[in-house]
Amino acid sequence: MYGRERASELRERYPHAREVLGLYLALVEVWEAADPGGEASLTWAAAEVLPRVMAATVASGPRPLAEAVADRTDGVELLAAWMAGEDLTPVERFLARATMRVVPPSKGEGSGRAAGRCPQCGGPPQVSYRAASDDPLVSGRRALACARCPNEWNFSATTCPNCGETGKRTVHAETGHNAKPAIGRHEATPEALFPQLRAESCETCQRYLIDVDLARDPEAVPRVDELAAVPLDLHMAEQGYTKITPNLMGF
Ligand SMILES: [Zn+2]
Ligand SMILES: [Zn+2]
């Protein structure tokens, strides 16, 4: 359910993502071993999961992150602050997100929130994806995956999930080896590094989201593939766009 196999495969395919996906795989070990046995409370997560997330990060994380985590003594206050949407440092955000991955959201927290937000918990979308389909009525439909909880929901393919703008959207896709991402929807070339990934930006709010096309790679796991999109993220930053919300690893 965490895309362990996909993460191992992409770690081999994408040298630029080796460290990030290595840390992700270490976190998958922690998540798979975490068993709330009934109710998954913040107290349980702080006592049982957070210390393991820290240990995995120290052992497998990129050096700056591992060093930043090494002497922290975070507990339930950090998780509560994350849940309350308080401003956290990037390291705190990473620890809280990696820990809360195993805690299901309480139902109804997202009701009444803005469009483009998770109907379950009110969190922002992390990644968007289109299912593989030959049915023209279904193709073009897309789903958003929540950054705060495991929920995914259908959302208009032509609307910005951040500001609701329905026009002025641009697709940035990589077109070939060593090529800069270009604007527009292109046929994937065989040597394309990311045939399954593109960035979709909104010209009104200058935000973007990585979009995963499962028709081009049915094996893709949107939340895992999104972690490997760093070169696209760097390109988007150069163009002046900001991701709707950074991913688990802070990109
Ligand atoms: Zn959610
Ligand atoms: Zn927008």
Side-chain angles (χ1 to χ4, degrees):
M1 93 188 256
Y2 297 113
R4 174 199 287 272
E5 279 175 22
R6 180 67 174 178
S8 306
E9 189 198 319
L10 294 188
R11 187 171 54 162
E12 299 309 312
R13 194 193 298 179
Y14 298 132
H16 69 262
R18 197 164 286 154
E19 267 195 324
V20 157
L21 291 171
L23 173 56
Y24 182 83
L25 283 163
L27 293 174
V28 169
E29 300 266 332
V30 174
W31 297 332
E32 287 181 345
D35 178 11
E39 194 113 331
S41 67
L42 285 193
T43 320
W44 166 79
E48 301 297 327
V49 186
L50 182 55
R52 292 187 173 92
V53 163
M54 287 176 161
T57 306
V58 170
S60 308
R63 200 147 149 226
L65 183 61
E67 286 175 359
V69 163
D71 39 42
R72 294 190 64 102
T73 52
D74 290 292
V76 73
E77 300 79 15
L78 173 68
L79 304 183
W82 160 253
M83 292 299 287
E86 287 174 24
D87 271 343
L88 299 177
T89 66
V91 170
E92 290 168 338
R93 218 162 28 222
F94 162 78
L95 289 173
R97 283 188 73 171
T99 301
M100 294 306 287
R101 187 71 182 259
V102 296
V103 180
S106 20
K107 286 213 189 309
E109 277 180 59
S111 56
R113 306 285 180 112
R117 290 280 167 148
C118 172
Q120 193 81 252
C121 77
Q126 186 65 70
V127 59
S128 135
Y129 67 90
R130 284 145 218 273
S133 171
D134 296 328
D135 183 346
L137 290 176
V138 178
S139 71
R141 266 182 63 174
R142 71 159 166 183
L144 301 177
C146 184
R148 281 227 305 251
C149 81
N151 191 37
E152 299 179 353
W153 67 102
N154 287 325
F155 191 75
S156 156
T158 52
T159 303
C160 170
N162 186 58
C163 73
E165 172 69 66
T166 50
K168 300 180 193 151
R169 295 168 50 65
T170 310
V171 174
H172 310 253
E174 182 241 3
T175 51
H177 194 56
N178 289 333
K180 281 269 180 196
I183 286 175
R185 208 174 278 256
H186 298 270
E187 283 306 310
T189 53
E191 69 276 16
L193 190 59
F194 302 121
Q196 81 282 27
L197 302 180
R198 58 201 172 196
E200 278 199 14
S201 64
C202 170
E203 303 318 307
T204 299
C205 67
Q206 299 283 299
R207 296 296 191 103
Y208 77 96
L209 197 61
I210 298 293
D211 180 67
V212 182
D213 189 346
L214 295 176
R216 286 188 173 174
D217 191 345
E219 304 297 313
V221 175
R223 289 167 199 267
V224 175
D225 285 55
E226 201 268 350
L227 293 173
V230 181
L232 267 177
D233 290 325
L234 296 175
H235 169 76
M236 294 306 284
E238 276 173 22
Q239 305 299 308
Y241 297 103
T242 312
K243 198 182 271 186
I244 289 180
T245 194
N247 63 32
L248 172 67
M249 302 302 179
F251 292 106

